[in-house]
PDB file of all heavy atoms in Angstrom:
ATOM      1  N   ALA C 373      15.525  23.429-111.837  1.00 80.00           N
ATOM      2  CA  ALA C 373      15.195  22.009-112.228  1.00 80.00           C
ATOM      3  C   ALA C 373      14.126  21.452-111.337  1.00 80.00           C
ATOM      4  O   ALA C 373      13.093  20.834-111.827  1.00 80.00           O
ATOM      5  CB  ALA C 373      16.406  21.188-112.104  1.00 80.00           C
ATOM      6  N   ILE C 374      14.169  21.706-110.039  1.00 81.00           N
ATOM      7  CA  ILE C 374      13.107  21.190-109.120  1.00 81.00           C
ATOM      8  C   ILE C 374      11.779  21.858-109.422  1.00 81.00           C
ATOM      9  O   ILE C 374      10.748  21.229-109.410  1.00 81.00           O
ATOM     10  CB  ILE C 374      13.536  21.413-107.669  1.00 81.00           C
ATOM     11  CG1 ILE C 374      14.796  20.515-107.351  1.00 81.00           C
ATOM     12  CG2 ILE C 374      12.431  21.068-106.712  1.00 81.00           C
ATOM     13  CD1 ILE C 374      15.386  20.750-105.936  1.00 81.00           C
ATOM     14  N   GLY C 375      11.817  23.180-109.679  1.00 80.00           N
ATOM     15  CA  GLY C 375      10.586  23.875-109.942  1.00 80.00           C
ATOM     16  C   GLY C 375       9.955  23.370-111.242  1.00 80.00           C
ATOM     17  O   GLY C 375       8.714  23.144-111.214  1.00 80.00           O
ATOM     18  N   ASN C 376      10.738  23.072-112.262  1.00 77.00           N
ATOM     19  CA  ASN C 376      10.123  22.544-113.442  1.00 77.00           C
ATOM     20  C   ASN C 376       9.634  21.123-113.332  1.00 77.00           C
ATOM     21  O   ASN C 376       8.576  20.805-113.844  1.00 77.00           O
ATOM     22  CB  ASN C 376      11.198  22.604-114.651  1.00 77.00           C
ATOM     23  CG  ASN C 376      11.322  23.955-115.233  1.00 77.00           C
ATOM     24  OD1 ASN C 376      10.535  24.361-116.165  1.00 77.00           O
ATOM     25  ND2 ASN C 376      12.220  24.768-114.802  1.00 77.00           N
ATOM     26  N   ILE C 377      10.380  20.331-112.596  1.00 77.00           N
ATOM     27  CA  ILE C 377       9.961  18.945-112.336  1.00 77.00           C
ATOM     28  C   ILE C 377       8.665  18.893-111.611  1.00 77.00           C
ATOM     29  O   ILE C 377       7.691  18.210-111.926  1.00 77.00           O
ATOM     30  CB  ILE C 377      11.026  18.157-111.607  1.00 77.00           C
ATOM     31  CG1 ILE C 377      12.222  17.928-112.498  1.00 77.00           C
ATOM     32  CG2 ILE C 377      10.499  16.804-111.139  1.00 77.00           C
ATOM     33  CD1 ILE C 377      13.470  17.381-111.807  1.00 77.00           C
ATOM     34  N   VAL C 378       8.536  19.689-110.510  1.00 79.00           N
ATOM     35  CA  VAL C 378       7.323  19.682-109.697  1.00 79.00           C
ATOM     36  C   VAL C 378       6.181  20.247-110.477  1.00 79.00           C
ATOM     37  O   VAL C 378       5.064  19.742-110.462  1.00 79.00           O
ATOM     38  CB  VAL C 378       7.558  20.535-108.352  1.00 79.00           C
ATOM     39  CG1 VAL C 378       6.207  20.713-107.637  1.00 79.00           C
ATOM     40  CG2 VAL C 378       8.606  19.892-107.478  1.00 79.00           C
ATOM     41  N   SER C 379       6.419  21.304-111.270  1.00 76.00           N
ATOM     42  CA  SER C 379       5.379  21.896-112.102  1.00 76.00           C
ATOM     43  C   SER C 379       4.782  20.906-113.107  1.00 76.00           C
ATOM     44  O   SER C 379       3.619  20.724-113.244  1.00 76.00           O
ATOM     45  CB  SER C 379       5.926  23.096-112.863  1.00 76.00           C
ATOM     46  OG  SER C 379       4.922  23.618-113.757  1.00 76.00           O
ATOM     47  N   LYS C 380       5.693  20.158-113.798  1.00 72.00           N
ATOM     48  CA  LYS C 380       5.293  19.184-114.741  1.00 72.00           C
ATOM     49  C   LYS C 380       4.539  17.974-114.058  1.00 72.00           C
ATOM     50  O   LYS C 380       3.601  17.421-114.562  1.00 72.00           O
ATOM     51  CB  LYS C 380       6.446  18.666-115.546  1.00 72.00           C
ATOM     52  CG  LYS C 380       6.972  19.705-116.529  1.00 72.00           C
ATOM     53  CD  LYS C 380       8.074  19.151-117.407  1.00 72.00           C
ATOM     54  CE  LYS C 380       8.488  20.201-118.492  1.00 72.00           C
ATOM     55  NZ  LYS C 380       7.386  20.529-119.368  1.00 72.00           N
ATOM     56  N   ALA C 381       5.054  17.620-112.859  1.00 73.00           N
ATOM     57  CA  ALA C 381       4.428  16.541-112.130  1.00 73.00           C
ATOM     58  C   ALA C 381       2.945  16.922-111.772  1.00 73.00           C
ATOM     59  O   ALA C 381       1.989  16.093-111.900  1.00 73.00           O
ATOM     60  CB  ALA C 381       5.164  16.159-110.924  1.00 73.00           C
ATOM     61  N   ILE C 397      10.302  14.784-117.622  1.00 64.00           N
ATOM     62  CA  ILE C 397      11.067  14.919-116.334  1.00 64.00           C
ATOM     63  C   ILE C 397      12.417  14.288-116.443  1.00 64.00           C
ATOM     64  O   ILE C 397      13.421  14.810-115.996  1.00 64.00           O
ATOM     65  CB  ILE C 397      10.256  14.355-115.153  1.00 64.00           C
ATOM     66  CG1 ILE C 397       8.966  15.316-114.902  1.00 64.00           C
ATOM     67  CG2 ILE C 397      11.077  14.247-113.955  1.00 64.00           C
ATOM     68  CD1 ILE C 397       8.083  14.768-113.829  1.00 64.00           C
ATOM     69  N   LEU C 400      14.582  16.425-118.379  1.00 65.00           N
ATOM     70  CA  LEU C 400      15.028  17.625-117.619  1.00 65.00           C
ATOM     71  C   LEU C 400      16.119  17.297-116.630  1.00 65.00           C
ATOM     72  O   LEU C 400      17.129  17.988-116.481  1.00 65.00           O
ATOM     73  CB  LEU C 400      13.868  18.165-116.856  1.00 65.00           C
ATOM     74  CG  LEU C 400      12.894  19.040-117.567  1.00 65.00           C
ATOM     75  CD1 LEU C 400      11.666  19.404-116.712  1.00 65.00           C
ATOM     76  CD2 LEU C 400      13.561  20.368-118.018  1.00 65.00           C
ATOM     77  N   VAL C 401      16.030  16.122-115.930  1.00 65.00           N
ATOM     78  CA  VAL C 401      17.011  15.728-114.937  1.00 65.00           C
ATOM     79  C   VAL C 401      18.403  15.607-115.607  1.00 65.00           C
ATOM     80  O   VAL C 401      19.414  16.060-115.135  1.00 65.00           O
ATOM     81  CB  VAL C 401      16.600  14.418-114.278  1.00 65.00           C
ATOM     82  CG1 VAL C 401      17.783  13.860-113.400  1.00 65.00           C
ATOM     83  CG2 VAL C 401      15.370  14.649-113.379  1.00 65.00           C
TER      84      VAL C 401
END
Side-chain angles (χ1 to χ4, degrees):
I374 293 174
N376 278 275
I377 289 169
V378 174
S379 176
K380 287 186 177 297
I397 289 175
L400 278 173
V401 171

